[in-house]
Amino acid sequence: NDGVLKFLGFEQIFKNALTGLPLGGGKGGSDFDPKGKSEGEVRRFCESFMTELFRYLHPSTDVPAGDIGVGGREIGYMYGQYKRLTNKHGEGVLTGKSMLFGGSPFRPEATGYGLIYITKIAVEKRLGRTLEGSCCAVSGSGNVAQFAAKKLMEFGAKVMTFSDSNGVLVFDDGMTEDDWDSIVEAKNVHRMRLRDIEDKVTGRYIPNESPWTLTDDTTPFHLAFPCATQNEIDGKGAELLLSKGVLGVFEGANLPTTIKGQEVLRSRPDVIYIPGKAANAGGVGVSGLEMAQNAQRLQWEPEEVDDKLQKMMGEIYEQMEAASGEGGTLEEGANRAGFLKVTRAMEELGWLY
């Protein structure tokens, strides 16, 4: 869908601006569906894809990273093909690489961890409370959802849901660490669906639903984290969240809330709403840090990367606060701050006059 890709790329420009790093923005993809494909089929597609893509890549031109359906495995296959074709090694032309060949500590965790770091700040400053004991609805079960859930549990929050495209797991007493381990192994190692591990976790599986369609379920949601895909929270989903007493919505995915869903959330300015361009910027932020490490031919310590990530998310929050103006929302602040940074840069470069 060209329209989706163009708008995702448009959003990426403003997200990258908020990080403070010298990054542009764009989006790309393919119509290859990895579901049900063998390891060999996925590898061969990744190699063919890179055979056509490699000539356009350079650390100062275009540096792709993973997204939906593209994790460490796929990045590894593509980077291996790049090395075969170019005989160049150590080049920072992809991010999200394995630590074995130029990856950064905390890159897999970055989007999910960064999402919760900025949530923690917003909840403390806007709501005057901590994350401890908060009931959190998380959608998705990929990289972003996994590490968002892990960090939420570290902060004492309760993860109430996890989902994939076939259904949702509901944890009435909150996800446990053993549940998290089982889900990560199922998804990352065995490529299984959540329905296949219902007997291995404490949650109950509800087919053909998402956290945003559980109209007959009484599970409370204080905070919502859409981490699956675009357009997953529509108007009815947003209304359901408000009926459940949600206090904040924090986008881990790109554009997960439809226009109607956004309108519903905006009707309640007392509910925190941080769009993906700010909330999930930690991923691309650490991609930028990975590029910096590649340029230096160094690998930083995990603590250094995590410190930089926390500082980056704090600075993004400060930009939102400053740009929101008196009585403004954090959503307005995120949109204004990103847009103004880009237009000021274009003016100074002579591209806008």
Side-chain angles (χ1 to χ4, degrees):
N1 187 316
D2 288 349
V4 171
L5 282 177
K6 287 176 180 177
F7 196 63
L8 286 170
F10 185 69
E11 282 280 286
Q12 192 75 36
I13 295 168
F14 304 116
K15 179 193 301 187
N16 291 2
L18 289 172
T19 68
L21 298 172
L23 302 170
K27 279 286 178 178
S30 76
D31 58 1
F32 176 79
D33 186 355
K35 292 178 183 175
K37 301 295 194 300
S38 69
E39 188 95 5
E41 288 173 313
V42 172
R43 175 179 52 79
R44 288 191 293 274
F45 175 79
C46 290
E47 290 170 352
S48 297
F49 191 78
M50 181 53 74
T51 298
E52 298 302 319
L53 183 65
F54 84 97
R55 60 181 59 86
Y56 304 106
L57 304 184
H58 185 274
S60 298
T61 305
D62 197 353
V63 183
D67 208 304
I68 297 174
V70 180
R73 176 183 66 166
E74 292 76 21
I75 292 291
Y77 291 154
M78 287 192 283
Y79 194 50
Q81 183 71 352
Y82 176 87
K83 289 158 75 74
R84 286 192 195 98
L85 293 168
T86 64
N87 197 32
K88 293 181 179 179
H89 309 283
E91 293 282 294
V93 295
L94 289 169
T95 63
K97 302 184 295 298
S98 165
M99 295 280 286
L100 297 172
F101 38 82
S104 172
F106 277 94
R107 178 58 189 92
E109 298 92 336
T111 307
Y113 278 16
L115 172 64
I116 307 309
Y117 289 149
I118 202 167
T119 298
K120 181 174 181 291
I121 297 169
V123 167
E124 289 174 352
K125 290 194 172 184
R126 291 268 170 147
L127 301 178
R129 57 185 286 171
T130 68
L131 289 176
E132 188 170 1
S134 297
C135 295
C136 301
V138 178
S139 69
S141 50
N143 185 66
V144 180
Q146 289 171 16
F147 288 110
K150 184 176 183 180
K151 186 57 69 174
L152 282 169
M153 290 191 290
E154 286 182 16
F155 286 141
K158 292 182 179 181
V159 177
M160 311 305 291
T161 63
F162 233 52
S163 65
D164 60 22
S165 57
N166 298 115
V168 58
L169 280 171
V170 178
F171 299 90
D172 294 310
D173 297 318
M175 180 188 291
T176 67
E177 290 187 12
D178 287 341
D179 291 334
W180 188 88
D181 290 338
S182 296
I183 291 170
V184 170
E185 181 179 3
K187 286 294 182 179
N188 297 1
V189 179
H190 304 297
R191 312 286 169 180
M192 298 168 68
R193 311 305 291 169
L194 292 178
R195 65 187 175 213
D196 300 323
I197 61 168
E198 184 178 10
D199 60 338
K200 297 181 174 63
V201 298
T202 62
R204 49 191 171 89
Y205 181 75
I206 304 175
N208 305 316
E209 298 284 359
S210 82
W212 329 124
T213 62
L214 295 173
T215 54
D216 298 326
D217 197 275
T218 58
T219 305
F221 296 159
H222 299 133
L223 305 173
F225 299 90
C227 298
T229 188
Q230 64 268 6
N231 297 324
E232 55 176 296
I233 299 181
D234 57 15
K236 290 183 179 179
E239 289 170 356
L240 176 66
L241 286 174
L242 295 181
S243 72
K244 285 177 172 284
V246 77
L247 302 173
V249 178
F250 307 86
E251 295 184 340
N254 292 315
L255 304 173
T257 311
T258 66
I259 292 176
K260 182 60 179 176
Q262 292 173 18
E263 290 173 354
V264 171
L265 294 177
R266 289 181 190 129
S267 72
R268 286 282 303 279
D270 57 312
V271 174
I272 300 172
Y273 173 41
I274 301 185
K277 64 171 63 68
N280 69 41
V284 71
V286 175
S287 278
L289 300 181
E290 182 176 331
M291 292 164 63
Q293 292 168 76
N294 292 161
Q296 294 175 324
R297 306 293 197 203
L298 294 174
Q299 194 170 74
W300 300 341
E301 292 296 322
E303 295 78 12
E304 181 177 1
V305 179
D306 192 31
D307 287 345
K308 290 180 183 294
L309 173 60
Q310 292 188 54
K311 181 181 179 183
M312 185 184 303
M313 300 313 293
E315 290 174 347
I316 290 173
Y317 184 86
E318 290 174 3
Q319 291 177 68
M320 288 193 297
E321 281 272 324
S324 65
E326 187 174 349
T329 66
L330 293 177
E331 182 204 9
E332 292 168 340
N335 292 333
R336 291 170 186 166
F339 180 80
L340 290 172
K341 264 194 170 184
V342 172
T343 55
R344 286 167 185 161
M346 292 176 69
E347 285 179 336
E348 292 186 22
L349 288 165
W351 298 349
L352 185 65
Y353 48 86

